Amino acid sequence: MANEQKTKSNRLAIFTDPLLKANPLFMMVLGMCPALAVTTSVENAIGMALLFIFVLFFSTLIISALRKVIPDEVRTPAYIVIIATFVTVVKILTETFLPELYSSLGVFISLIVVNCIVLGRAEAFSSKNGVVDTMLDSLGNGLGYGWAIIAVGLIREVFGKGTLSFGQVFTFVPSTTIPVLGGFEGTDFSLAIPLLASPAGGFLVIAVILAIIAAVNNAKLAKERAKARAARAASATAPKGDK
């Protein structure tokens, strides 16, 4: 029973840690190129997130299933071939059914093949763990990276353009533009900061997010250290009979 509970706890951590505590983008600072390039809008970010999750999940699943069959001498080339196969499938499907998304993401779809998160999870986790654990790990990392780039895309679009648009890339959705910080039809009023929608804006947005996360973590660490010092001081000054 204890071992079963430990296994469930470990598997829960495998899935949940990449969502926040070990987020690939915000904590590990991985996958920065697509995070900077495709987050000019929420729709672009959602599209990249979905494609990334698909490739990561199925490629690592196959790698885990074949981990005892693939020779160590050709391990990395084999991983790249498997990942490239799923990227090719994604490219064909996207170009066929979502040409606007394909045009918008461009070369960054192909670059999923060498994305450090996909290769990293294949090498560090899938090649050493079973299929179930790999599924949880890939879903956790995929969703963690996905929500992170969507958050960046939301900030850049809202604060960079002043509006939130849908139906531009996913054409099956009714075309809608919501004025958030201005951009109302027939007016020039806007509180948007165009710099955030530019390439440099991606660096700025991610830098601010990383700075906030670092400040929060440092504050928590300082609080824990203060509590530890207070506990040691109280222990040192307490009468021997009270220790």
Side-chain angles (χ1 to χ4, degrees):
M1 180 65 70
N3 290 335
E4 183 178 349
Q5 290 178 344
K6 185 177 180 181
T7 300
K8 288 181 178 179
S9 177
N10 289 340
R11 284 181 172 172
L12 181 63
I14 288 172
F15 175 73
T16 58
D17 282 357
L19 297 178
L20 289 173
K21 187 164 64 175
N23 187 272
L25 179 62
F26 292 148
M27 302 304 296
M28 311 299 289
V29 198
L30 299 174
M32 289 291 289
C33 288
L36 293 169
V38 305
T39 55
T40 52
S41 72
V42 172
E43 279 198 314
N44 281 350
I46 292 174
M48 175 56 76
L50 293 175
L51 300 184
F52 177 83
I53 291 170
F54 179 89
V55 172
L56 177 64
F57 181 82
F58 286 103
S59 61
T60 54
L61 191 65
I62 296 299
I63 289 169
S64 176
L66 299 178
R67 68 188 187 280
K68 296 181 180 179
V69 178
I70 300 174
D72 288 341
E73 295 79 6
V74 295
R75 189 169 59 186
T76 300
Y79 294 169
I80 293 175
V81 169
I82 292 170
I83 296 168
T85 300
F86 285 101
V87 170
T88 302
V89 171
V90 159
K91 285 183 63 179
I92 293 172
L93 293 177
T94 306
E95 188 175 13
T96 303
F97 297 106
L98 291 170
E100 290 80 6
L101 178 62
Y102 180 83
S103 299
S104 181
L105 297 182
V107 70
F108 290 97
I109 298 178
S110 300
L111 288 178
I112 295 177
V113 175
V114 291
N115 187 293
C116 51
I117 301 173
V118 181
L119 282 173
R121 297 325 298 167
E123 180 67 36
F125 195 92
S126 302
S127 63
K128 301 178 179 66
N129 293 275
V131 170
V132 175
D133 288 345
T134 294
M135 291 171 61
L136 295 173
D137 179 75
S138 60
L139 280 176
N141 278 277
L143 292 173
Y145 185 73
W147 83 255
I149 62 174
I150 291 171
V152 174
L154 178 64
I155 293 171
R156 292 185 67 188
E157 183 171 5
V158 169
F159 290 95
K161 299 177 182 177
T163 59
L164 196 57
S165 298
F166 298 97
Q168 309 300 314
V169 171
F170 297 110
T171 52
F172 55 86
V173 176
S175 181
T176 306
T177 299
I178 305 170
V180 182
L181 297 177
F184 296 94
E185 187 175 354
T187 69
D188 295 327
F189 173 77
S190 178
L191 296 175
I193 307 171
L195 174 64
L196 298 182
S198 69
F203 284 100
L204 292 175
V205 170
I206 292 178
V208 170
I209 293 174
L210 294 179
I212 293 172
I213 293 173
V216 171
N217 289 339
N218 289 338
K220 288 182 179 179
L221 183 60
K223 189 174 182 180
E224 291 173 358
R225 287 176 175 173
K227 285 183 178 180
R229 287 195 298 268
R232 288 196 297 268
S235 178
T237 58
K240 291 185 179 180
D242 295 338
K243 292 184 178 179

